[in-house]
Amino acid sequence: MAGCIDLTAGSIRRECVDRTLITWTCGVQTLLSIVEAVWAGRGETEISYWLVQRWAGKQALQIQRKPLCKKIKTEEEKNRRPREKHTQDGLYVVVLLFFKKLDITMNKDTEIDMKEVELNEVDPEKQPMTGDGPPAGGEKNGSVKLKVPEDEVTFTGLSKEELMKVAGTPGWVRTRWVLLVLFWLVWVGMLAGAVVIIVQAPRCKAIPEMDWWNEGPLYQISDVEAFSEGLKGVEAKLDEIKELKVKGLVLGPLHSVQPNTPDALFLDQIDPTQGRKEDLTAVLEKAHKRGMSVVLDLTPNYRGNAPWFSGDVGDVLEKVKAAAAHWLSLGVDGVKLSGLNVTSSSADWPKLQAVVQGNRTDSRKRVLMGAAEHLSAADVSQLVSSSGVDLLLSDLLSTNNEGVKRTEVMDLLKPQHRSLAWGLGATQQDQLSKQAMTPGLIRLYQLLLFTMPGTPVFTYGDEIGLQAGQGSASPKMVWDIQKEPADGTPVNETAEAERKERVDIRKWFISLSDLRGKERSLLHGDYYSLYSSTSSLSFLRVWDQSNRYITAVNWGGAAEKLKLKLAPTEGLELPETATVTLSTDEALKAEDTVSLDEITLAAGGAVLLQFPYKA
């Protein structure tokens, strides 16, 4: 409702119009508006609240009471104002009583208590005609007391009876049926879509059975005295070893023996210079708590010329079998034997196999690990099959220096890669730095070993680029490389540069070890050669729908362009580009995108590229 009719415009000059007429006109307009609201279907609560807001909020009264001319000039007009006020308030009460009579029920929060409405009317003849002073008792003459709720209106909704009455109407019945049919149609459509997606989606390749020695690198500690002053020191350094994310330790040999003297061989006793049996037990317990297994090297004549002496292997093998049973009963997780090509041909070899491999459980598998030197790739393949060892460590990478030869070796042995271990110097228990003379080459071979198919094996110190010892002497392990010089102390610049280089190599080692453990393509993916030359090679690792990885290395003394080419393979092709994951080449930064048609690697450069699976 826009308000009362404006009767002040037009030909009516500045004289006041009869206010009684105006009051009744406004009241009728208000009444008509309420009736219109009822006819339009407004709820009872809405009308009640609107009525209170309209009158009790003083909107209507203010409109009705505002002067229709700027100034009342006559005394008569002043005397007439109280009478008009009575008439307005009287109309207000009449309208309220009218709707009360019509049983327009108000919400309890907005209901006006009619008992609170009081008309302090005085007989018009007894009121003062001037209207200047306030009425007696402090009340304005003709005022209406009205209780106005302060809280906001709360919508109560329909009652149960009203809802049931509406729910049974034909319109709502049809609507419910339409909604029900639509719901089931949508549900069946979604179910059918899910079935189609499942049927048409490519099948995931079954994960191959993996043993703990396939899940991460092995860390050789051939000389525990040089490593950390005996077995007690090894126990103290296990937390630092765990940071390298290795899966197992290969300790020793630790047993007591006189070089080239079979009668002085005591495989079930620890050399006192290495520690005690209790120290080894403590190492086992702590390593197992940290998720690392421990393999014990039982190579009999490790200090002599031939690993199995030069006599009858059968007698020595019987001692090895008894010692293996002894150490396995104490919690050792496997046995390593060098000179596997010599001993596996013995008639007593199956007995040792039975001791190590015969009592396996699903929760704890023990590994029979062998090492062999100076064999061809074909001989290694034959030895893996005939000996039945779980893991064979060879020196094929060390004896084949050309990229073409190394690629041929990997191509030939890839069907058996879960039984193969790789190292550069690890077979002879040498540090990697004995053949990789620079920090750049150390990083290169670390990347190569971590991404080749098979288990990488490192000798202690390889993670920091420790320089190999002179002759047969084991180098002393360097610790606390991350400890920076104290402020104000003299600094040897050469020593400090060497320390920082070791820290960087260690970070590189850990990043590779972590990546191999997370990525299925690197962990147990298929292998495909892409390129090889005299001093470089490249290959691809792929597993099902996982990210694919390309390794490219150049250990030569000059830059080289590698033209990658994948032999025709069903369901597999190289993309045009790939992303750099790790790199030792300054021209290839991490996250760079490179073309796979031709990759240029600097001398001593290595890069690991990644590209996603595409259906």
Side-chain angles (χ1 to χ4, degrees), residues 209-219 246-250 288 291-296 332-335 360-369 390-391 455 516 523:
E209 183 180 355
M210 301 285 289
D211 295 305
W212 64 261
W213 52 87
N214 301 126
E215 295 175 353
L218 300 182
Y219 189 79
V246 301
K247 284 297 180 180
L249 306 178
V250 182
H288 290 161
M292 294 183 290
S293 300
V294 179
V295 177
L296 192 60
V332 169
D333 300 292
V335 171
R360 289 179 173 176
T361 62
D362 293 336
S363 60
R364 189 177 181 183
K365 288 189 175 182
R366 290 158 173 167
V367 61
L368 179 57
M369 180 178 177
D390 301 302
L391 201 61
T455 300
R516 186 186 187 276
L523 188 60

Side-chain angles (χ1 to χ4, degrees), residues 141 214 257 312-313 522 581:
N141 198 15
N214 301 126
V257 62
D312 184 10
V313 175
L522 298 177
T581 301

Side-chain angles (χ1 to χ4, degrees), residues 56-68:
K58 297 185 180 181
Q59 294 183 16
L61 292 177
Q62 289 174 1
I63 292 174
Q64 295 172 24
R65 291 176 181 175
K66 78 176 184 178
L68 298 180

Side-chain angles (χ1 to χ4, degrees), residues 4-293:
C4 298
I5 302 173
D6 185 3
L7 299 178
T8 63
S11 61
I12 301 178
R13 291 169 290 186
R14 303 186 62 83
E15 298 177 1
C16 295
V17 184
D18 188 334
R19 300 185 65 86
T20 303
L21 175 60
I22 295 173
T23 300
W24 280 102
T25 303
C26 294
V28 171
Q29 279 191 319
T30 302
L31 180 60
L32 289 175
S33 297
I34 298 174
V35 173
E36 181 183 359
V38 174
W39 185 263
R42 292 188 181 179
E44 298 172 354
T45 303
E46 185 180 359
I47 296 174
S48 303
Y49 183 68
W50 178 86
L51 183 61
V52 172
Q53 186 185 40
R54 188 67 182 168
W55 276 319
K58 297 185 180 181
Q59 294 183 16
L61 292 177
Q62 289 174 1
I63 292 174
Q64 295 172 24
R65 291 176 181 175
K66 78 176 184 178
L68 298 180
C69 50
K70 293 183 178 179
K71 184 176 181 182
I72 299 177
K73 297 181 179 180
T74 64
E75 190 70 18
E76 181 181 358
E77 292 292 333
K78 294 181 181 180
N79 294 335
R80 191 163 56 232
R81 290 181 65 194
R83 295 188 181 91
E84 294 169 355
K85 184 175 182 65
H86 284 300
T87 306
Q88 295 168 14
D89 295 339
L91 177 60
Y92 178 101
V93 175
V94 169
V95 174
L96 288 178
L97 292 174
F98 173 73
F99 279 96
K100 186 70 176 178
K101 188 68 175 177
L102 290 178
D103 291 331
I104 297 179
T105 306
M106 303 178 185
N107 184 283
K108 69 170 62 176
D109 294 332
T110 61
E111 182 177 5
I112 301 174
D113 188 356
M114 298 302 295
K115 294 181 181 181
E116 293 293 329
V117 181
E118 298 179 2
L119 295 177
N120 297 327
E121 296 189 42
V122 183
D123 189 352
E125 299 297 332
K126 296 181 181 180
Q127 293 187 28
M129 298 303 293
T130 61
D132 294 330
E139 296 289 346
K140 289 189 176 181
N141 198 15
S143 63
V144 178
K145 289 185 177 180
L146 184 63
K147 182 178 180 181
V148 181
E150 297 180 356
D151 298 336
E152 294 184 358
V153 177
T154 303
F155 180 70
T156 56
L158 298 175
S159 64
K160 180 179 178 181
E161 291 76 12
E162 290 171 329
L163 287 172
M164 295 301 296
K165 185 183 295 183
V166 173
T169 59
W172 274 110
V173 172
R174 288 193 297 271
T175 301
R176 288 199 301 272
W177 275 108
V178 170
L179 293 175
L180 182 62
V181 172
L182 285 176
F183 168 78
W184 283 109
L185 286 176
V186 172
W187 189 88
V188 172
M190 292 174 63
L191 179 62
V195 172
V196 170
I197 292 173
I198 294 172
V199 171
Q200 293 185 347
R203 292 286 184 267
C204 292
K205 195 174 180 179
I207 301 296
E209 183 180 355
M210 301 285 289
D211 295 305
W212 64 261
W213 52 87
N214 301 126
E215 295 175 353
L218 300 182
Y219 189 79
Q220 287 191 143
I221 306 177
S222 53
D223 189 337
V224 295
E225 180 65 26
F227 178 73
S228 57
E229 299 180 354
L231 286 172
K232 283 189 176 181
V234 173
E235 180 191 0
K237 299 299 182 182
L238 284 177
D239 288 331
E240 293 188 46
I241 298 174
K242 178 61 178 177
E243 293 176 0
L244 304 178
K245 302 183 185 302
V246 301
K247 284 297 180 180
L249 306 178
V250 182
L251 297 181
L254 303 174
H255 54 267
S256 179
V257 62
Q258 295 294 327
N260 305 318
T261 309
D263 293 338
L265 174 64
F266 302 98
L267 290 167
D268 56 352
Q269 298 179 14
I270 296 176
D271 190 322
T273 61
Q274 309 289 336
R276 302 177 305 163
K277 183 181 296 186
E278 292 79 9
D279 300 332
L280 177 59
T281 302
V283 170
L284 294 172
E285 292 178 356
K286 189 172 181 178
H288 290 161
K289 289 180 180 178
R290 282 151 181 75
M292 294 183 290
S293 300

